[in-house]
Amino acid sequence: MKSKKKVLVWLLLAIWAIIVLFPFYWMVLTSLKEYGAYNAEYIPQFFTLAPTFENYIQAFTDVPLGKYLLNTLFFAIVTTGLMVFVTILAAFAFARMDFKGKNVLFTLFLALMMIPGELVVITNFVTITELDLRNTFLGLILPSVTSVFYIYLLRENFAQVPDQLYFAAKVDGTSDWRYLWRVMVPICMPTLVTITILKVIECWNLYIWPSLITDDPKYFLVSNGIQQIRESGFGRANIPAMMAAVVAVSVPLIVLFLIFRKQIMSGVAQGGTKG
């Protein structure tokens, strides 16, 4: 009976894995098809006998995708660095410091999680425009340097650190600033790694905000480049070249996740467990 149950579980997992991985297979397959052959398909073909890498060459020559990748890398590194710094300070304040109205303020802060991000896009756009920061990296970065969810996640992790460590550090004359960076941050490093990787992925995949705030190719990110490639077809969307660009853009994120997958799972579990 146990063997049958185990076989059934593995069968269901295999089916689920196929369902999850099929879009990636279709993306890679489409990127290897010629533009004319793809548009000539009335019935989608699940394989190709004449793969071509022309779409990858086209993705990097029709538009400066390499430059957009560098822009995105710069944007992701700077934004993530600032966000992690702000998150650490805010989480420490809510977890360890005592000040009047802290609980009320934290409750109101958490209430912001109920507001969809799309609702504040217009406000951010108007603010950045009035500050004359359109078509600048600063305008791209500023709205993304805070995250209520990441502050909450790290605050819960900070709260798990025993109070005895804090009191012992204060007896030794350690300042709050030194205690934060020498004790709290190293202990909660798995959660910080998780937050960092998730933020990098978020920045890498950002589409709506860069499309609104930049119309100068000098500041385009990969999302803008993929849209340009999509529109490069002769009267039709150039889907194979766009898929080739998506594959090229996705590879760094997949590699990043595979390298740090254990830290991500450990960090989420550690941040979400109390006691």
Side-chain angles (χ1 to χ4, degrees):
M1 187 68 180
K2 286 185 177 180
S3 60
K4 290 183 179 180
K5 185 177 180 180
K6 191 173 182 180
V7 170
L8 179 61
V9 171
W10 279 103
L11 180 61
L12 293 175
L13 290 175
I15 293 173
W16 181 249
I18 292 173
I19 293 174
V20 171
L21 294 176
F22 181 77
F24 296 95
Y25 168 77
W26 190 256
M27 176 179 68
V28 175
L29 176 66
T30 304
S31 71
L32 297 175
K33 293 181 179 180
E34 292 184 353
Y35 176 72
Y38 174 82
N39 288 323
E41 290 181 358
Y42 292 99
I43 299 177
Q45 302 296 316
F46 292 90
F47 61 91
T48 178
L49 298 177
T52 177
F53 290 95
E54 182 64 30
N55 295 313
Y56 290 89
I57 298 174
Q58 187 176 355
F60 281 89
T61 54
D62 284 6
V63 300
L65 188 61
K67 176 177 173 52
Y68 298 161
L69 281 168
L70 292 177
N71 287 348
T72 306
L73 182 62
F74 174 79
F75 167 72
I77 291 175
V78 175
T79 303
T80 302
L82 291 174
M83 190 278 302
V84 170
F85 181 74
V86 171
T87 299
I88 289 174
L89 297 183
F92 181 76
F94 284 124
R96 282 287 175 257
M97 301 185 71
D98 292 323
F99 53 89
K100 189 175 181 180
K102 182 179 76 171
N103 293 332
V104 175
L105 181 61
F106 187 65
T107 301
L108 295 175
F109 197 66
L110 289 180
L112 295 176
M113 294 177 64
M114 302 297 104
I115 302 176
E118 290 76 8
L119 292 182
V120 300
V121 169
I122 296 177
T123 303
N124 289 338
F125 177 80
V126 172
T127 303
I128 294 298
T129 301
E130 290 180 349
L131 293 175
D132 197 24
L133 293 177
R134 291 192 72 246
N135 291 316
T136 64
F137 281 115
L138 187 59
L140 280 169
I141 292 170
L142 280 180
S144 302
V145 296
T146 59
S147 171
V148 176
F149 172 72
Y150 293 146
I151 292 173
Y152 166 74
L153 184 66
L154 188 59
R155 183 259 185 192
E156 293 300 299
N157 201 184
F158 279 172
Q160 296 174 34
V161 179
D163 292 337
Q164 288 79 359
L165 286 177
Y166 180 72
F167 297 142
K170 298 304 290 184
V171 169
D172 290 339
T174 303
S175 64
D176 287 341
W177 181 261
R178 186 181 179 87
Y179 174 76
L180 169 62
W181 296 103
R182 292 295 182 89
V183 179
M184 298 286 278
V185 169
I187 290 177
C188 301
M189 188 55 68
T191 301
L192 284 170
V193 171
T194 300
I195 290 173
T196 300
I197 294 174
L198 293 179
K199 186 62 179 182
V200 168
I201 294 174
E202 178 187 327
C203 292
W204 203 268
N205 294 327
L206 203 61
Y207 175 71
I208 295 178
W209 181 246
S211 300
L212 285 175
I213 210 65
T214 60
D215 51 31
D216 184 351
K218 181 180 178 181
Y219 301 99
F220 277 2
L221 305 183
V222 289
S223 55
N224 305 106
I226 291 173
Q227 182 62 27
Q228 281 186 313
I229 294 170
R230 183 181 184 277
E231 297 169 352
S232 66
F234 301 100
R236 301 184 64 174
N238 193 346
I239 301 299
M242 184 185 71
M243 288 298 180
V246 172
V247 171
V249 169
S250 301
V251 167
L253 296 183
I254 295 174
V255 172
L256 184 68
F257 176 79
L258 291 177
I259 294 175
F260 294 101
R261 65 186 185 281
K262 291 183 179 180
Q263 288 86 342
I264 293 176
M265 295 175 184
S266 173
V268 172
Q270 185 175 352
T273 305
K274 288 217 54 161

